[in-house]
Amino acid sequence: MTGRAWGVLFVLCGAIFLEGIDVAMLNVALPAIRDDLDLSTGTLQWVMSAYVLGYGGFMLLGGRAADLFGRRRMFVLWLVVFLLFSGLGGLATEGWMLIVARFVTGVAAAFMTPAGLSIITTGFPEGPQRDKALLVYAGTAAGGFSIGLVVGGLLSAIDWRWVFFAPVILSLGILLAALALIPASPRPDRTGRGVDLAGAVTVTAGILLLVFGVERATHVPAAWTVGTVGTALLLFLAFAVIERASSSPLVRPGIFRSGSLVRANVAGLLFAAGFFGFQFIVVLYLQELRGWSSLQTSFALIVIGVDAVLSPLLTPKLVARFGHARVIFGGLLVASLSYTLFLPLGADWTYAAMFPGLLLLGVAFSLVYGPLTIVATDGVAEEEQGVAGGLLYTSFQFGAALGLSAVTAVNITATDGASPAALLDGYRAALVVPLAAALIAAAVSASGLRTRRARADSAPVGSPGAGPERSDAPGGIEQPAGLGS
């Protein structure tokens, strides 16, 4: 890669690092925020949920906006919004102010992230160069989350407001570098590609309601949740009808004919559900049952950040040797092993007993996250790269919301009392959820392996399908004809 290409990648990695560190720092600062602003548990929960709603709800629209209005333009514009509202969050004196700031920050990330990802996927040629760039990108995202856990603990010990002010300083530097290094591109030709306003409104409203319903499932009556989710499904049905009739759909229905893209999104949703659900329960275990401080918890979990090193160094070699499909499948099996090791969780476990499971989870993340990003965007036409990235990140965000709600529901149901033994029973029961999610994701991934093997076996000798799998093929599955049309 040229020096300019490395510079662009550096800027985009800085942006995804910013997004990761922002979320992680807030996670460990929540107790300090509650004490200072005198927030109820429900309001505190919305400080986190507002970001997830904005991020997950507008991600698909953000991806399409990058394709229609210019990736650099969208990236820079929404980076500015991210900067401003992160700073406003640090100035909040009431809970509602903080919630609004987090919601808009999530919306900004929803537009900024797919724009950044599509700059990589359109700026680097498909194959080893793009794979390397995406794996470095994925490792940086993981590093941001891991480092954010520790930095958040340190900053919240000084003043929780610095958890919001620190991203302002970082995003200002990224903004200046983006203006200098990311080349301006011609305004996209939108001839025959109008803004699908009806589709945008229905799918965004549907995703918002679905994430909202999942997030609130453990706090409201079941009938309310059923009504909310049912309304969301009706909106998705309306969206599907609108897209089929539209001359310039927000999401071209034909994009879902790619089996590898669909599998990547389903596996990403399930992997995120398990990953974030597991971390939530472990944090509760360490702080509620064991009495560890936020900073101690941060340092305990930082071992998961080994993926920041493995993603750019080890994963590319494994992908080159075994292909994306096998690496993803292996990573999901490693995640399953990690969660299995935590099932017999004890009330007095030493950190040495927890360390293998946490380390394996970091290894699993390095094997799954980057290759899934490649699979979900490989073979997709340049003018749809933003949408492909938006689909993947929507899956990740909805998976995170689903996983958090599921483990919370199981934890509450299985906890009978406030004694240490009762709390431990709840944690153990909830830890089954991440294991189930990882195993189902592995099964989804394995179906791709079987499909590839079947195609190879049925191909005549000497035909293109009879050869060995390309190491940079999307999950080993051939893209259907016309995918990029």
Side-chain angles (χ1 to χ4, degrees):
M1 290 191 290
T2 65
R4 182 64 175 267
W6 275 111
V8 172
L9 182 60
F10 172 79
V11 172
L12 300 174
C13 284
I16 199 67
F17 178 85
L18 170 68
E19 194 273 330
I21 200 172
D22 177 80
V23 173
M25 288 194 302
L26 182 60
N27 282 342
V28 296
L30 288 176
I33 294 172
R34 185 216 294 266
D35 293 342
D36 190 30
L37 298 184
D38 193 25
L39 303 181
S40 66
T41 300
T43 302
L44 190 69
Q45 187 257 346
W46 271 110
V47 173
M48 288 297 297
S49 297
Y51 183 87
V52 173
L53 274 176
Y55 201 165
F58 286 84
M59 184 72 74
L60 199 54
L61 183 58
R64 186 57 171 167
D67 291 333
L68 289 177
F69 302 109
R71 299 177 178 98
R72 181 182 186 271
R73 184 176 295 106
M74 288 292 100
F75 178 81
V76 170
L77 171 63
W78 289 99
L79 179 58
V80 171
V81 177
F82 189 99
L83 181 158
L84 292 175
F85 278 85
S86 183
L88 288 175
L91 298 174
T93 56
E94 300 287 342
W96 68 266
M97 297 171 64
L98 193 53
I99 291 170
V100 170
R102 290 304 294 170
F103 178 77
V104 179
T105 304
V107 173
F111 281 82
M112 180 179 72
T113 304
L117 176 62
S118 59
I119 289 173
I120 294 177
T121 56
T122 57
F124 292 88
E126 191 171 306
Q129 283 194 28
R130 184 190 293 180
D131 289 3
K132 183 177 181 179
L134 287 174
L135 291 171
V136 171
Y137 185 74
T140 306
F145 188 81
S146 303
I147 293 172
L149 290 172
V150 177
V151 174
L154 292 171
L155 292 179
S156 60
I158 301 170
D159 189 334
W160 65 265
R161 296 181 186 278
W162 276 103
V163 168
F164 294 90
F165 295 148
V168 172
I169 299 172
L170 180 58
S171 54
L172 182 59
I174 295 170
L175 176 62
L176 295 175
L179 293 172
L181 295 174
I182 299 179
S185 56
R187 184 180 294 270
D189 181 11
R190 297 202 297 272
T191 304
R193 300 171 65 205
V195 177
D196 179 15
L197 186 59
V201 171
T202 52
V203 75
T204 300
I207 294 172
L208 282 171
L209 275 178
L210 189 58
V211 175
F212 181 68
V214 169
E215 280 285 333
R216 299 297 295 166
T218 56
H219 305 280
V220 297
W224 188 95
T225 300
V226 171
T228 305
V229 173
T231 303
L233 295 178
L234 288 176
L235 286 169
F236 287 137
L237 179 60
F239 172 69
V241 173
I242 291 169
E243 296 307 278
R244 286 189 176 276
S246 175
S247 59
S248 54
L250 183 70
V251 180
R252 183 174 58 85
I255 199 172
F256 294 107
R257 289 200 298 268
S258 168
S260 57
L261 180 145
V262 172
R263 276 189 292 273
N265 279 273
V266 173
L269 184 152
L270 292 166
F271 181 70
F275 184 81
F276 286 98
F278 172 82
Q279 286 199 342
F280 180 72
I281 293 299
V282 170
V283 168
L284 289 182
Y285 164 76
L286 293 176
Q287 295 193 6
E288 287 187 348
L289 185 63
R290 304 296 298 276
W292 289 24
S293 68
S294 297
L295 193 57
Q296 287 175 310
T297 303
S298 300
F299 278 112
L301 296 179
I302 197 173
V303 64
I304 300 175
V306 69
D307 55 353
V309 176
L310 297 180
S311 290
L313 298 181
L314 175 65
T315 306
K317 297 178 181 178
L318 294 177
V319 166
R321 182 175 176 82
F322 301 107
H324 293 125
R326 293 188 182 92
V327 172
I328 292 170
F329 178 68
L332 291 169
L333 292 182
V334 173
S336 302
L337 176 59
S338 168
Y339 301 143
T340 300
L341 292 177
F342 265 83
L343 290 182
L345 188 67
D348 57 352
W349 265 20
T350 63
Y351 183 64
M354 295 180 250
F355 183 83
L358 296 174
L359 179 62
L360 284 175
L361 185 57
V363 173
F365 197 97
S366 70
L367 298 178
V368 174
Y369 184 75
L372 273 181
T373 304
I374 297 169
V375 169
T377 57
D378 215 0
V380 177
E382 181 172 331
E383 62 270 18
E384 292 184 317
Q385 283 292 329
V387 168
L391 282 170
L392 180 65
Y393 284 118
T394 298
S395 298
F396 278 135
Q397 286 300 310
F398 179 64
L402 184 64
L404 289 169
S405 295
V407 297
T408 300
V410 173
N411 182 38
I412 291 173
T413 303
T415 303
D416 184 16
S419 66
L423 292 175
L424 189 59
D425 287 341
Y427 300 146
R428 284 174 174 169
L431 285 171
V432 175
V433 175
L435 175 59
L439 289 173
I440 296 172
V444 170
S445 178
S447 70
L449 294 174
R450 289 195 297 270
T451 302
R452 185 196 64 233
R453 190 177 299 114
R455 290 181 65 88
D457 291 343
S458 63
V461 176
S463 70
E469 175 196 2
R470 247 181 9 103
S471 67
D472 59 340
I477 310 300
E478 292 186 14
Q479 298 289 345
L483 174 65
S485 61

